[in-house]
Amino acid sequence: MGRFLRGALVVVVVLAALAGNAGHRIYFDYRDTLQHRFAMVRDMARLVDDHVHRTVRTADIALDQTAAMVAEAGGPRNVRDLKHWTRLREYAAQVEGADAIWIHDADGRTVLESGSFPNRIAGFADPAGLEALRGGMRLHIGAARPARSGSQPLVFPVSRALHDDEGRFVGVASVSIRVESLTDFYSMLGFEFDPLIGIYRPDGEVVARRPATEASAGRSIAAGPLFQSKLREAPAGQYLSPSVLDGVLRIAAYRTVADYGLVVLTGIDRDEAMADWRTRTLHTVLETVVGLLAILAMLGWGLRYLDRERKAQVALAEARNAVERTSAERDESARLAAALDHARDMAEAARQAAEAANRAKGEFLAGLSHELRTPLNAVIGFADLIAREAEGPIGTPSYRQYAANVRDSGQHVLELINEILDHARAEAGALPIEEGRCDLEEAADFAVRMLTPRADRAGVLLAAAVAPAVRQLRGDDRRIRQILLNLIANGVKYTPSGGSVTLSATIEEGLPVIRVTDTGLGIPAEDVDRVLEPFVRIETTANRGVEGAGLGLPLTKRLVELHGGTLALRSTLGVGTTVTVRLPAGRLLPATPDPAARPVPGTASGSADAPPSSGRIDAGRTDAGGTMLQPFPASPQAMPLALPSAPLSILLVDDDPTVRDMVAGLLRGWGHRVIGAANANEALVVLNGPERLDLLLSDVVMPPGMDGTELARQAIRLRPGLPVLLASGFAAHAVGTPAAFGPDVAMIAKPFSIEDLRRQLARIAGRRGGAATPTPAIPIPAAVPPSSAMRSPGPPRLLIAEDLSINRELLAALFRDSGYAIDLVADGAAAVQAVESRDYDLVLMDVQMPGMDGLEASRAIRALPPPRGNLPILALTAGSSDEERRQCRDAGMSGHIGKPYDRETLLRQVARILEAGRNRTGAA
């Protein structure tokens, strides 16, 4: 009882710590977000202040020139001719956003206007300004008003007095400036939010304002806190207050325009500004709830397991006592026989109890898997959408990193769940393998691609080399990939920054041998055998901060043994570890020609200049900005290979020497001539020289000095027609840059694959040779024809049945911009009704739903007459047991997609099912 209470106390402390940590993160996130928003409006106010000051300053200069012209002519009445009107138009053209320059006489009547000749008869539209100028004011800025009668844009006047040689007031010169010139400027700034921009006279009257520009003309905010208190405290500052004009609570900043007395105010709606914080708060709460549920679930499982274990031990102890009692009564044969029978019964009961406990543990693990995968599906999915900025730029890079942290943490929990489940199945002998052809080179490529981001974050270099003779194996392709993933991930986990993890596969003594070698921390000699036991972790000072459950290597060893092979460890403390996997010779298959395959240049030593000795080398590195370069091909199922390109003379510009050397080596390995430059200055020297160039390949972000986009402009000027390829890991660059330069400039996104680079080079080589090089099309789901003959032309239509609203929202986001038409329903009955009433190409059906579940709904659809009854159905399931998959097949489902969802895998599997349906329709 005491042990139980101590355990419960520990659990309570852990739960309280999780909740406290969540509250702490939410509070500091709120404070940082508010500070960032205030900094944003301060920067906005500074930009607006500069723009207003520049506009009024140019108007002031133009008015001085106009006054000099009037004085030279001898008064306002002497300028009503074509010569002076032409000069007045020239002065108006110098003012940014000017509508016209007016000259009025001393009574305010129009003498000359630059916008029309002969001049229109009109009076000075600002009587208060006329009186102020007559009273001795030098410069007067009026409020916004219509420029002319009718639906004309609003203008605000900037006016000055005109005097004769004796100093008498003879008239007024006035510049009318379009208010929209200010609002158009603010629209071009590209602010993250829709801001409030206001310019006010010293008495609080509105000169210009957006939004509601016309409705605000002539109004005043003199009663607001800005003019009542803030401007009296300081000429510039910030505050949080509702607007006097529209009542919206805004985060605002203000500045006083130097020399002219105007007041500039910028602000953003607080609710809009804090929307991202509220979203992150929701994610933090969800993450905390998932952690709490996981701890509570594990506690419940532990209590049940301990209780059943205790009962089994009691039963075994009673059976042992019974045997001992019978041995002491040998002379009583009848009692001995009865006691022995009783002992057998008790032993059998104990065995059955142990088997029942084992079955209950398996059932509990399956249920726990489903309950944890369902919330993890939303946590990982939404975090990935935020990290990839699927809905548009986040604005603050740290938030993208926060989302990536949430996604990676959820992925870590998911990996731990999978390891526990696989280990439990392996212990129970229920972990079968599905024999088939396995491409070891593709499996190695897959493992390196999957783990390159993790290795980049740890500062670890990955490399893989597969000999052609060992490429084709007989085995379970999924489990072979799991073996490679586990071994490489384990090496990355225990390798310090600056180290490397290398995978090699060769034939030794007729056997296929796979080795994974790292330069990590190493394992003490006395603990090498222990690390292959389940739940054993060797704690040292160096690896104390490394997370793990101690299941990776034991599970990998079991998977190797299921293939008839062996796994051995050799490790030296402080030097590194080598894991060797030997498979039986019977696992080797004869090589099959692959017309789509092509070796990727590279060597095991990392020199990209030398040709490959055997197989191919895949490596991942990062540039100075953290952008991953992936010099390995994309999946052949997702993208056809590009055509080879002719040799080119390439000017390569990148400020990171590591990235520059790696890409240069890759290009030289393809036969191209490469001239390297560390910055734009070095590149301009080459562009100004006589060197023959076929391509400029430049990074966009190269601080400090001239960046890649400005270098592209200079290259177009210096060498017209020279193709330019800009590389950037930022989505905004890829969208906005090339179109502004013309057809000779293209963009390649980071991280880029070898095939993407090959296609670009082939395109440029084709242009240089005068013939267009065909670029293979990338298949997209929208191009897949409908699988049902009854479907009308148009994009394929999918029906998604999911009872949880958060998962429906996630699926809608994952399929956005995919080219599919999507319908969402919340239960199985609604899915059957939708299929009966509308034509679909594919149904994605959640298995566990209240009311009619996915299995029952699938049976109901299969009972419909063709072609609706033949509609393909994919199961959406958080379960991972063979029994649940068998139930899906028995219900008529065509396949399954596991939770959490990966967008690329999801779209690829949907496209494959639709393509199979199209082939069946074509064959029919």
Side-chain angles (χ1 to χ4, degrees):
M1 187 66 181
R3 182 182 301 175
F4 174 81
L5 291 176
R6 287 193 298 272
L9 180 60
V10 171
V11 171
V12 170
V13 171
V14 172
L15 296 180
L18 283 175
N21 178 63
H24 180 269
R25 289 166 56 189
I26 291 171
Y27 168 77
F28 280 96
D29 188 17
Y30 174 85
R31 187 186 65 181
D32 293 344
T33 302
L34 194 61
Q35 291 176 353
H36 291 160
R37 296 298 179 255
F38 270 117
M40 178 186 297
V41 296
R42 287 198 304 271
D43 293 341
M44 289 163 53
R46 187 178 299 109
L47 288 173
V48 175
D49 181 14
D50 291 341
H51 180 58
V52 172
H53 186 276
R54 184 171 61 253
T55 301
V56 178
R57 176 61 179 164
T58 57
D60 192 3
I61 294 172
L63 291 176
D64 288 342
Q65 293 173 331
T66 302
M69 182 186 74
V70 172
E72 178 185 340
R77 293 296 179 181
N78 299 327
V79 297
R80 300 182 63 179
D81 55 43
L82 181 61
K83 180 184 69 173
H84 290 95
W85 178 73
T86 302
R87 290 177 63 183
L88 195 64
R89 289 177 61 87
E90 293 175 355
Y91 299 155
Q94 300 172 8
V95 181
E96 183 178 354
D99 178 73
I101 296 182
W102 304 70
I103 299 177
H104 304 273
D105 61 16
D107 296 326
R109 292 187 298 271
T110 302
V111 175
L112 189 64
E113 177 204 1
S114 67
S116 63
F117 186 86
N119 59 293
R120 295 183 297 109
I121 302 302
F124 187 65
D126 187 7
L130 180 61
E131 292 303 320
L133 294 171
R134 183 181 284 118
M137 178 180 288
R138 180 189 171 277
L139 196 70
H140 180 272
I141 301 175
R145 59 182 176 83
R148 299 172 179 84
S149 61
S151 57
Q152 296 293 338
L154 295 178
V155 298
F156 66 93
V158 179
S159 309
R160 64 154 292 169
L162 299 176
H163 298 88
D164 60 11
D165 294 339
E166 296 179 5
R168 290 189 298 269
F169 177 82
V170 297
V172 174
S174 177
V175 180
S176 56
I177 300 175
R178 292 187 298 274
V179 172
E180 67 180 11
S181 68
L182 299 182
T183 59
D184 289 346
F185 167 78
Y186 307 142
S187 300
M188 290 187 296
L189 291 179
F191 290 141
E192 180 181 357
F193 304 97
D194 183 20
L196 164 70
I197 306 294
I199 299 102
Y200 308 94
R201 297 184 58 201
D203 61 357
E205 188 176 13
V206 177
V207 175
R209 184 182 186 271
R210 66 174 299 275
T213 302
E214 295 181 0
S216 304
R219 301 182 67 180
S220 174
I221 64 167
L226 175 60
F227 284 87
Q228 290 296 318
S229 59
K230 294 298 180 181
L231 284 171
R232 298 175 182 177
E233 296 170 1
Q238 62 189 34
Y239 65 98
L240 177 67
S241 175
S243 170
V244 175
L245 299 182
D246 55 18
V248 176
L249 181 62
R250 289 186 173 93
I251 298 171
Y254 65 91
R255 292 176 67 90
T256 302
V257 179
D259 302 325
Y260 300 108
L262 296 176
V263 178
V264 165
L265 177 69
T266 61
I268 54 177
D269 188 335
R270 192 190 69 167
D271 291 339
E272 183 183 7
M274 302 304 291
D276 289 343
W277 171 80
R278 288 192 293 272
T279 300
R280 291 193 302 276
T281 298
L282 176 60
H283 292 163
T284 300
V285 171
L286 289 176
E287 178 185 352
T288 304
V289 170
V290 169
L292 296 176
L293 290 176
I295 293 174
L296 292 175
M298 293 301 293
L299 176 62
W301 173 80
L303 293 176
R304 291 179 59 187
Y305 180 82
L306 290 175
D307 183 62
R308 295 186 181 184
E309 186 88 14
R310 182 185 59 80
K311 291 179 180 179
Q313 293 294 335
V314 169
L316 288 173
E318 290 178 353
R320 190 180 300 110
N321 291 335
V323 172
E324 291 175 356
R325 285 195 303 270
T326 56
S327 63
E329 300 172 355
R330 297 177 184 275
D331 54 340
E332 300 179 8
S333 57
R335 290 182 59 189
L336 176 60
L340 288 174
D341 290 340
H342 179 67
R344 292 191 190 96
D345 293 340
M346 293 297 293
E348 179 63 20
R351 185 184 63 82
Q352 293 177 358
E355 290 177 352
N358 195 36
R359 285 194 301 272
K361 180 176 69 172
E363 293 171 0
F364 171 76
L365 288 173
L368 177 64
S369 169
H370 182 276
E371 293 302 321
L372 291 180
R373 284 171 182 267
T374 297
L376 279 175
N377 176 51
V379 171
I380 296 175
F382 281 117
D384 184 62
L385 287 174
I386 298 172
R388 292 189 295 104
E389 298 179 314
E391 297 296 332
I394 293 176
T396 303
S398 59
Y399 296 156
R400 183 168 61 251
Q401 183 59 43
Y402 295 165
N405 292 343
V406 173
R407 178 195 60 199
D408 294 344
S409 298
Q411 192 65 36
H412 175 72
V413 175
L414 180 63
E415 291 173 0
L416 180 60
I417 293 171
N418 291 336
E419 284 186 354
I420 293 174
L421 290 175
D422 284 342
H423 182 72
R425 292 194 191 102
E427 280 189 336
L431 192 65
I433 62 173
E434 299 178 3
E435 298 283 356
R437 179 176 289 272
C438 173
D439 190 320
L440 189 58
E441 187 173 61
E442 288 186 2
D445 286 346
F446 170 81
V448 171
R449 283 199 304 273
M450 290 294 292
L451 294 172
T452 293
R454 185 182 303 180
D456 288 340
R457 290 192 296 271
V460 176
L461 179 66
L462 298 185
V466 177
V470 76
R471 177 174 179 177
Q472 299 296 332
L473 297 177
R474 179 178 56 83
D476 189 327
D477 184 68
R478 186 166 67 93
R479 297 304 182 183
I480 291 293
R481 294 187 179 209
Q482 186 176 359
I483 291 171
L484 301 185
L485 279 171
N486 287 354
L487 293 179
I488 297 176
N490 205 61
V492 171
K493 184 188 301 184
Y494 291 100
T495 299
S497 177
S500 64
V501 178
T502 304
L503 182 147
S504 64
T506 58
I507 300 291
E508 297 181 5
E509 299 178 356
L511 301 178
V513 177
I514 303 171
R515 283 190 176 87
V516 176
T517 302
D518 64 64
T519 59
L521 304 175
I523 305 170
E526 63 273 14
D527 295 321
V528 169
D529 293 334
R530 293 183 59 228
V531 297
L532 296 175
E533 300 175 5
F535 301 104
V536 172
R537 296 188 71 244
I538 308 303
E539 292 285 349
T540 64
T541 303
N543 68 9
R544 187 164 298 155
V546 180
E547 298 180 350
L551 289 175
L553 280 177
L555 178 59
T556 303
K557 181 173 181 290
R558 179 57 179 161
L559 293 176
V560 171
E561 291 171 348
L562 287 174
H563 285 79
T566 61
L567 183 147
L569 244 66
R570 187 180 74 254
S571 183
T572 303
L573 199 61
V575 176
T577 302
T578 297
V579 182
T580 302
V581 174
R582 287 184 169 83
L583 298 175
R587 292 285 175 188
L588 282 173
L589 293 178
T592 57
D594 184 1
R598 179 171 57 247
V600 176
T603 65
S605 64
S607 174
D609 292 331
S613 57
S614 64
R616 64 184 176 189
I617 300 297
D618 297 335
R621 305 185 72 170
T622 60
D623 63 9
T627 302
M628 182 175 67
L629 302 174
Q630 293 179 319
F632 38 76
S635 171
Q637 291 84 358
M639 183 182 301
L641 294 177
L643 300 176
S645 61
L648 300 173
S649 180
I650 302 173
L651 174 57
L652 174 62
V653 187
D654 199 300
D655 60 311
D656 188 327
T658 303
V659 175
R660 188 171 64 251
D661 293 345
M662 184 182 69
V663 177
L666 186 65
L667 295 174
R668 293 189 181 107
W670 292 345
H672 299 297
R673 178 173 172 267
V674 180
I675 304 170
N679 50 51
N681 292 332
E682 295 183 10
L684 288 174
V685 173
V686 179
L687 290 169
N688 279 303
E691 198 79 41
R692 182 181 68 85
L693 294 176
D694 300 312
L695 170 65
L696 168 63
L697 174 55
S698 174
D699 191 21
V700 172
V701 181
M702 293 190 298
M706 183 184 296
D707 63 8
T709 57
E710 181 60 29
L711 178 61
R713 292 189 181 92
Q714 297 300 324
I716 293 172
R717 181 181 62 82
L718 295 172
R719 299 206 180 194
L722 175 66
V724 179
L725 191 58
L726 296 176
S728 175
F730 296 95
H733 294 163
V735 172
T737 301
F741 299 145
D744 294 325
V745 180
M747 177 67 68
I748 184 170
K750 291 182 179 180
F752 56 80
S753 68
I754 279 183
E755 291 311 317
D756 191 9
L757 186 58
R758 279 183 181 275
R759 277 196 300 274
Q760 294 285 359
L761 297 180
R763 175 184 61 82
I764 294 167
R767 286 183 54 192
R768 188 191 64 170
T773 301
T775 301
I778 300 175
I780 59 175
V784 180
S787 60
S788 171
M790 66 182 178
R791 282 279 293 124
S792 59
R797 180 168 292 278
L798 312 183
L799 175 65
I800 301 176
E802 169 62 66
D803 62 309
L804 294 180
S805 60
I806 191 171
N807 281 345
R808 288 198 301 274
E809 183 180 351
L810 173 61
L811 287 165
L814 292 176
F815 277 103
R816 187 172 294 123
D817 300 327
S818 66
Y820 295 120
I822 302 296
D823 288 344
L824 296 167
V825 294
D827 54 57
V832 176
Q833 183 178 1
V835 171
E836 290 175 341
S837 60
R838 189 164 189 175
D839 298 339
Y840 292 98
D841 298 283
L842 175 64
V843 178
L844 287 87
M845 184 82 70
D846 189 22
V847 174
Q848 296 191 9
M849 293 186 289
M852 180 183 288
D853 63 14
L855 300 177
E856 186 178 353
S858 298
R859 296 187 191 98
I861 292 174
R862 289 290 177 252
L864 297 175
R868 286 186 166 86
N870 298 331
L871 191 64
I873 304 174
L874 279 179
L876 303 177
T877 174
S880 59
S881 67
D882 296 333
E883 176 63 21
E884 183 165 340
R885 293 174 185 170
R886 183 190 61 77
Q887 292 175 354
C888 293
R889 289 194 299 268
D890 293 345
M893 293 184 172
S894 310
H896 75 281
I897 297 176
K899 300 178 182 178
Y901 306 122
D902 175 76
R903 184 175 190 271
E904 299 300 327
T905 303
L906 178 65
L907 293 179
R908 190 161 52 246
Q909 191 159 355
V910 168
R912 186 166 57 249
I913 291 293
L914 293 176
E915 178 68 18
R918 184 197 66 172
N919 294 337
R920 287 196 299 271
T921 303

